[in-house]
């Protein structure tokens, strides 16, 4: 082929270190906007972002030359530095080391978007741990329960 054709959409999930509730309402919109800028700088697009005080969900359409791990590393590293440089920041901000990344077919994009938008409602009933285990099982990703929260 003379050109590259790809539609790479990922649902990416990661938490604050030790799942501390560091993303308050005041920070949330600013943080989400900043992460969107990072994604754009990497040549990709942030289709949806949402979460609660201790974790975020991103729906990203990625360019084919960018690995998911490089994208997540860039988003997490740059955004945590940015948060810690905010003049009104009281607490040190860190993301947990790991993350979940799940491929999304084009036919599933709207369903994932709605899911990400409903995070606050969702977490009135389910913990982040339950949510992550459900996502891992749904995507048939094996995991060690004892090491899941290291």
């Amino acid at each position: 082929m003379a050109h590259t054709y790809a539609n790479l959409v990922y649902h990416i999930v990661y938490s604050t270190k030790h799942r501390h509730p560091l993303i308050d309402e005041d920070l949330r919109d600013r943080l989400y906007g900043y992460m969107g800028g990072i994604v754009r700088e990497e040549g990709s697009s942030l289709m949806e972002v949402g979460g609660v005080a201790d974790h975020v969900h991103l729906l990203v359409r990625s360019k084919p030359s960018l690995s998911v791990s490089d994208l997540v590393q860039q988003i997490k590293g740059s955004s945590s530095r940015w948060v810690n440089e905010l003049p009104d920041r009281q607490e040190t901000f860190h993301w947990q080391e790991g993350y979940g990344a799940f491929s999304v077919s084009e036919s599933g994009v709207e369903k994932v978007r709605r899911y990400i938008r409903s995070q606050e409602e969702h977490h009135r009933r389910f913990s982040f741990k339950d949510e992550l285990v459900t996502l891992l099982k749904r995507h048939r990703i094996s995991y060690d329960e004892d090491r899941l929260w290291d």
Side-chain angles (χ1 to χ4, degrees):
M1 277 190 199
H3 299 282
T4 299
Y5 302 98
N7 185 20
L8 305 174
V9 180
Y10 303 106
H11 176 192
I12 300 167
V13 183
Y14 53 89
S15 70
T16 58
K17 192 166 189 171
H18 305 297
R19 290 166 310 286
H20 290 300
L22 300 174
I23 307 169
D24 60 28
E25 286 186 39
D26 181 52
L27 176 61
R28 189 173 298 153
D29 288 340
R30 295 185 294 164
L31 176 61
Y32 292 172
Y34 191 81
M35 290 191 296
I38 297 165
V39 172
R40 281 189 301 280
E41 284 180 16
E42 294 299 319
S44 299
S45 62
L46 183 60
M47 302 168 70
E48 197 67 53
V49 61
V52 292
D54 67 349
H55 71 279
V56 296
H57 292 253
L58 298 92
L59 184 63
V60 176
R61 188 178 313 275
S62 181
K63 66 181 185 177
S65 60
L66 181 62
S67 74
V68 176
S69 62
D70 286 346
L71 176 62
V72 173
Q73 179 182 356
Q74 190 64 25
I75 297 168
K76 288 169 66 176
S78 294
S79 65
S80 64
R81 275 190 300 279
W82 176 79
V83 170
N84 285 315
E85 291 172 359
L86 290 172
D88 58 344
R89 194 73 202 156
Q90 303 284 325
E91 245 179 303
T92 303
F93 186 94
H94 295 287
W95 295 112
Q96 193 80 9
E97 185 176 326
Y99 63 93
F102 312 99
S103 59
V104 179
S105 66
E106 190 62 32
S107 63
V109 164
E110 282 309 310
K111 183 177 180 181
V112 175
R113 286 178 92 122
R114 285 191 303 273
Y115 178 75
I116 291 172
R117 286 183 199 133
S118 69
Q119 281 296 294
E120 288 191 41
E121 178 185 325
H122 176 78
H123 285 290
R124 288 186 200 121
R125 296 173 299 179
F126 302 100
S127 70
F128 177 56
K129 182 177 181 179
D130 291 339
E131 176 181 51
L132 182 58
V133 168
T134 299
L135 286 167
L136 293 170
K137 287 179 178 178
R138 182 177 296 148
H139 290 274
R140 297 186 178 148
I141 298 172
S142 61
Y143 63 94
D144 179 350
E145 182 79 34
D146 295 332
R147 301 207 55 219
L148 195 57
W149 304 110
D150 286 352

